[in-house]
């Protein structure tokens, strides 16, 4: 019994000591960056990175004068941290460039493996101007922010994969990391200027909902042929990789397009007069999260298909149908057709009336006497061989 009490006392003492230790993974609210731990890497890009008094990171990159190609820059914090209790990273960003800012976030784990956002998973982008949360995924490994963008980026950890190993997407666990940072890739003669601040890791509990959003996507035709006659229709819906059923989504066009419309349940209709080469569909998921999907509108190939004699095979539009069917013979004009119908109808009525009068005249006494006299005359005629 004394031994058991000693064990309980030892466990309680260790627990008390553990509670007094700083646990960065739970208590940290905002990462305080230091210029002493900021590093930069590049493959030819000129990089200038600095930390101001508020802890914001100012990054300027330039590829001016470089040969044609793609150039990357990586600005990162070299510092050991324990992120085992977190499920998301958020930060504010201001694009002070006059061009699109292409970026991604990279984490380096203690085993020296690099972890980044997968192309087929969503991150959350919240513009400060609208405060509408948009679910977007990287294209060719890069999240693109328009010139002048100011807002917040949220990186749910369920969107991460081991670099160049897409099959690991959603299975990555961050515990001890040796550093994290932001990478950009541009072509030659480009200059980027942006600021990153208010960097906060979010606990797994607080980030649980947003980690379930990383697999949401709009599904449907990526290309639709513009109709030459009638309509073109296509059905769209929002799907998730999880088995929790379809999310509640309401569809609309990102911008009004003449000749195009979409119902709240995702039925897109194109009329013959639609002009743009593409349109963007927007889905509002659960009344809060925005998904967008770009649809390319192609011209019908039937326009250029012709018979051997040069006659087009395309379906004529309604305004052309009357011209195609317009007869060249005056006798086939509409008023001639109606005249023929009236004459034939009148002749039929006259014929029926004459037949009725003839039938009626056969049963009168005078007609019967005539038939009797004719029969008597035939009876008096001598028989001839």
């Amino acid at each position: 019994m004394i031994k058991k009490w000693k064990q309980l006392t030892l466990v309680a003492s260790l627990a008390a000591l553990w509670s007094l230790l700083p646990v960065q993974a739970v208590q940290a609210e905002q990462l305080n960056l230091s210029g002493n731990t900021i590093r930069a890497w590049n493959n030819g890009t000129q990089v200038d990175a600095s930390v101001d008094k508020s802890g914001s990171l100012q990054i300027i990159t330039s590829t001016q004068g470089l040969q044609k190609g793609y150039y990357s820059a990586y600005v990162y914090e070299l510092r050991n941290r324990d992120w085992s209790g977190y499920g998301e990273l958020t930060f504010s960003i201001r694009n002070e460039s006059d061009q699109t800012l292409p970026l991604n976030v990279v984490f380096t784990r203690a085993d020296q493996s690099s972890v980044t956002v997968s192309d087929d998973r969503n991150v959350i982008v919240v513009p400060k101007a609208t405060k509408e949360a948009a679910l977007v995924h990287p294209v060719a490994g890069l999240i693109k922010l328009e010139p002048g963008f100011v807002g917040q980026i949220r990186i749910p950890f369920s969107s991460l994969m081991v670099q160049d190993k897409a099959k690991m997407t959603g299975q990555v666990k961050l515990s001890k990391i040796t550093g994290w940072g932001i990478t950009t890739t541009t072509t030659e003669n480009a200059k980027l200027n942006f600021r990153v601040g208010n960097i906060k890791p979010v606990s797994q509990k607080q980030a649980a909902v947003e980690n379930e959003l990383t697999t949401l996507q709009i599904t449907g035709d990526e290309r639709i042929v513009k109709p030459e006659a009638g309509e073109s229709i296509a059905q769209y819906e929002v799907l998730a990789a999880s088995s929790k059923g379809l999310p509640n989504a309401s569809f609309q066009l990102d911008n009004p397009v003449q000749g195009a419309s979409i119902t709240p349940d995702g039925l897109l209709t194109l009329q013959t007069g639609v002009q743009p080469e593409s349109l963007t569909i927007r889905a509002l998921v659960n009344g809060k999260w925005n998904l967008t999907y770009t649809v390319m509108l192609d011209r019908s190939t039937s326009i250029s298909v012709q018979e051997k004699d040069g006659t087009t095979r395309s379906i004529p539009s309604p305004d052309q149908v009357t011209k195609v069917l317009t007869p060249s013979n005056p006798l086939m004009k509409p008023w001639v057709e109606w005249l023929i119908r009236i004459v034939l109808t009148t002749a039929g009525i006259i014929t029926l009336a004459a037949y009725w009068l003839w039938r009626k005249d056969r049963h009168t006494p005078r007609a019967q006497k005539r038939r009797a006299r004719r029969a008597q005359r035939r009876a008096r005629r001598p028989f001839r061989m």
Side-chain angles (χ1 to χ4, degrees):
M1 179 65 68
I2 296 175
K3 185 177 180 180
K4 184 175 181 180
W5 275 108
K6 288 182 177 179
Q7 291 175 346
L8 292 174
T9 303
L10 179 61
V11 170
S13 300
L14 291 174
L17 290 172
W18 181 262
S19 64
L20 295 175
L21 295 175
V23 183
Q24 188 177 17
V26 176
Q27 297 178 356
E29 294 184 357
Q30 181 172 334
L31 300 185
N32 295 316
L33 302 182
S34 169
N36 296 328
T37 59
I38 298 299
R39 302 288 187 273
W41 172 93
N42 68 85
N43 64 347
T45 306
Q46 181 181 348
V47 183
D48 182 15
S50 60
V51 179
D52 61 20
K53 294 181 180 179
S54 64
S56 296
L57 181 62
Q58 183 79 42
I59 301 174
I60 300 175
T61 69
S62 175
T63 58
Q64 297 290 335
L66 298 181
Q67 295 180 354
K68 186 176 182 179
Y70 289 92
Y71 298 91
S72 298
Y74 180 38
V75 177
Y76 60 97
E77 180 196 34
L78 187 62
R79 182 176 177 181
N80 293 329
R81 296 182 183 274
D82 181 7
W83 284 15
S84 57
Y86 297 125
E88 183 180 56
L89 176 68
T90 72
F91 57 88
S92 300
I93 188 167
R94 177 189 295 271
N95 181 12
E96 299 174 347
S97 314
D98 57 1
Q99 64 183 80
T100 300
L101 171 61
L103 58 85
N104 206 331
V105 177
V106 179
F107 304 88
T108 303
R109 299 190 297 187
D111 61 1
Q112 298 304 307
S113 61
S114 295
V115 177
T116 189
V117 181
S118 172
D119 276 4
D120 60 356
R121 290 297 175 99
N122 296 319
V123 298
I124 300 169
V125 178
V126 187
K128 184 178 180 180
T130 64
K131 300 187 182 303
E132 295 181 352
L135 302 174
V136 302
H137 57 267
V139 177
L142 296 169
I143 304 164
K144 297 184 178 181
L145 305 177
E146 67 271 13
F149 175 88
V150 179
Q152 186 185 58
I153 307 295
R154 305 177 192 172
I155 310 292
F157 290 169
S158 61
S159 66
L160 301 178
M161 70 170 184
V162 177
Q163 207 159 28
D164 300 325
K165 293 184 179 179
K167 63 182 180 180
M168 298 296 294
T169 302
Q171 304 175 25
V172 173
K173 301 296 182 182
L174 290 184
S175 54
K176 292 183 178 180
I177 65 171
T178 60
W180 77 277
I182 293 176
T183 181
T184 63
T185 299
T186 60
T187 58
E188 73 286 352
N189 297 322
K191 186 174 182 178
L192 299 177
N193 185 0
F194 60 99
R195 181 182 294 272
V196 177
N198 197 25
I199 306 164
K200 296 180 181 180
V202 181
S203 69
Q204 292 181 358
K205 183 178 180 180
Q206 291 176 316
V209 172
E210 295 184 353
N211 271 282
E212 293 179 356
L213 302 173
T214 58
T215 61
L216 288 182
Q217 61 178 339
I218 298 177
T219 62
D221 294 336
E222 296 181 358
R223 310 189 76 93
I224 303 179
V225 176
K226 297 179 182 180
E228 291 300 311
E231 298 176 338
S232 291
I233 60 173
Q235 181 68 51
Y236 294 87
E237 57 184 352
V238 175
L239 296 179
S242 63
S243 58
K244 295 184 179 181
L246 294 177
N248 181 18
S250 178
F251 288 85
Q252 65 181 25
L253 295 179
D254 194 32
N255 293 298
V257 176
Q258 185 175 0
S261 62
I262 190 169
T263 61
D265 59 355
L267 183 63
L268 177 67
T269 303
L270 301 181
Q271 305 291 340
T272 55
V274 65
Q275 293 296 327
E277 301 301 321
S278 65
L279 55 82
T280 301
I281 297 171
R282 181 180 296 274
L284 182 62
V285 180
N286 297 334
K288 183 177 182 181
W289 313 100
N290 286 279
L291 274 172
T292 58
Y293 190 81
T294 300
V295 181
M296 304 304 297
L297 307 183
D298 299 327
R299 295 188 64 190
S300 175
T301 56
S302 65
I303 298 177
S304 59
V305 178
Q306 296 181 342
E307 300 288 356
K308 291 182 178 181
D309 60 357
T311 304
T312 180
R313 291 186 183 180
S314 62
I315 301 174
S317 60
D319 62 330
Q320 294 175 323
V321 171
T322 54
K323 297 178 181 178
V324 172
L325 298 180
T326 298
S328 58
N329 191 341
L331 295 178
M332 296 303 296
K333 291 183 177 180
W335 69 269
V336 176
E337 294 179 5
W338 278 106
L339 179 61
I340 294 173
R341 291 173 185 171
I342 294 172
V343 171
L344 292 178
T345 301
T346 304
I349 293 174
I350 293 174
T351 302
L352 289 175
Y355 177 75
W356 179 78
L357 292 174
W358 174 75
R359 292 280 298 180
K360 182 179 180 181
D361 185 64
R362 289 190 63 185
H363 296 286
T364 59
R366 185 176 179 181
Q368 291 177 355
K369 290 180 179 180
R370 286 199 301 270
R371 286 197 296 273
R373 286 196 295 269
R374 284 198 297 269
Q376 291 176 0
R377 285 196 296 270
R378 284 196 297 270
R380 289 196 296 266
R381 291 176 185 171
F383 178 75
R384 296 180 182 179
M385 293 296 295

